Every structure is written in C-alpha cells, then in structure tokens.
Amino acid sequence: MISCLRLGRLAEATTNIHLGAQGFDATAFLLLTLLDEEGPADSAAGLGQMVGLSRQAAHQALERLERDDLVRRAPSREDRRAITWHLEPRGRRWLEFLRGLLGDVEHRLCRAADAGAVERLRDALPPPIRLAGYDG
C-alpha cells in the first residue's frame, strides 16, 4: 500500500498536472471554489487571505480569471467605491468540469491507498482544500 505522505505528494503532483493541462493552477481553482461556495466576495484581500495569498497576488489571480470571463467585478451595493467579485456562469461551468476531473484523480489515488492513509491525508488538508471538496 501507499503511504499517506506519498499519497499526498502524488495527489498534489497529479492535481497540478491536470489543472495545468486545462490552463489552471490550484490558486485559480480555489478562488473559483470560494466564489461558488461562499458567494460574491467583498475584496480580493479577503479571498486571498482564505487561500494564503497576499492582497496583490489575489488581485492578480482574479484579474486573470476576469480576462477569461470566469469572474467579474461589480460595484458594491453598500459602497459604490468598493467592488465585489462574482463567479460568472462560464466560471461555474469550468469549476464543475475541474471538480469532475479532480474527483476522478482522487478516486484513482484512493484505490492505490489503504483507507487509513486516505483518512489521514484528508484530515491533514488545510481548510481551503477541504472547502474545495477534498474532505470526503
């Protein structure tokens, strides 16, 4: 059987390969997931904090997603000077595709591991990854 550490490394590498083949990275996937699960976000800084990014890095990642029509920014209803970030329908479709793709990767990796290793790996995942659907 495969160890928990090796399973984690395989999962990370395989996930990055599959996301990269679609032109995405884990950050983009997590940002799309947060907008889908939590709804519109009041700031790039808040989203960035949830996935471990600086305000500037989060803003740059969101701008890339915006250029691809996956998210959009709009004036805040409470403060017209502020903006909110929204998941676009195209972003939701991509997210569903990526979730299916990564679910298949997870299923194949889990078949290679014993149940204990899979549970230990899931327990060790940071909250943003669990939010993205990797908590079983």
Side-chain angles (χ1 to χ4, degrees):
M1 287 292 156
I2 193 169
S3 73
C4 183
L5 178 61
R6 186 154 183 237
L7 178 64
R9 288 181 177 155
L10 282 171
E12 180 181 16
T14 306
T15 297
N16 289 335
I17 289 168
H18 281 71
L19 286 173
Q22 301 301 322
F24 285 86
D25 59 20
T27 298
F29 177 71
L30 291 173
L31 290 171
L32 291 174
T33 297
L34 283 169
L35 288 171
D36 184 48
E37 298 288 330
E38 301 293 322
D42 291 334
S43 72
L47 280 172
Q49 185 176 19
M50 293 179 80
V51 297
L53 295 175
S54 68
R55 180 182 61 79
Q56 181 180 8
H59 191 75
Q60 290 172 346
L62 287 164
E63 284 182 331
R64 282 191 302 274
L65 294 171
E66 185 180 38
R67 280 193 301 272
D68 291 336
D69 297 320
L70 303 175
V71 302
R72 71 175 165 82
R73 60 179 121 189
S76 168
R77 292 185 180 177
E78 292 82 34
D79 180 355
R80 299 304 263 178
R81 295 169 294 170
I83 62 165
T84 57
W85 291 93
H86 301 263
L87 183 64
E88 288 286 90
R90 184 170 189 259
R92 188 164 280 111
R93 288 191 302 272
W94 265 108
L95 185 57
E96 291 306 313
F97 170 76
L98 293 171
R99 283 178 173 156
L101 183 71
L102 297 179
D104 181 55
V105 169
E106 180 185 24
H107 178 73
R108 284 186 276 136
L109 288 170
C110 288
R111 283 194 323 237
D114 64 69
V118 172
E119 291 305 313
R120 288 189 304 278
L121 177 61
R122 285 183 177 152
D123 290 344
L125 292 173
I129 304 296
R130 286 197 300 269
L131 175 64
Y134 292 97
D135 62 348

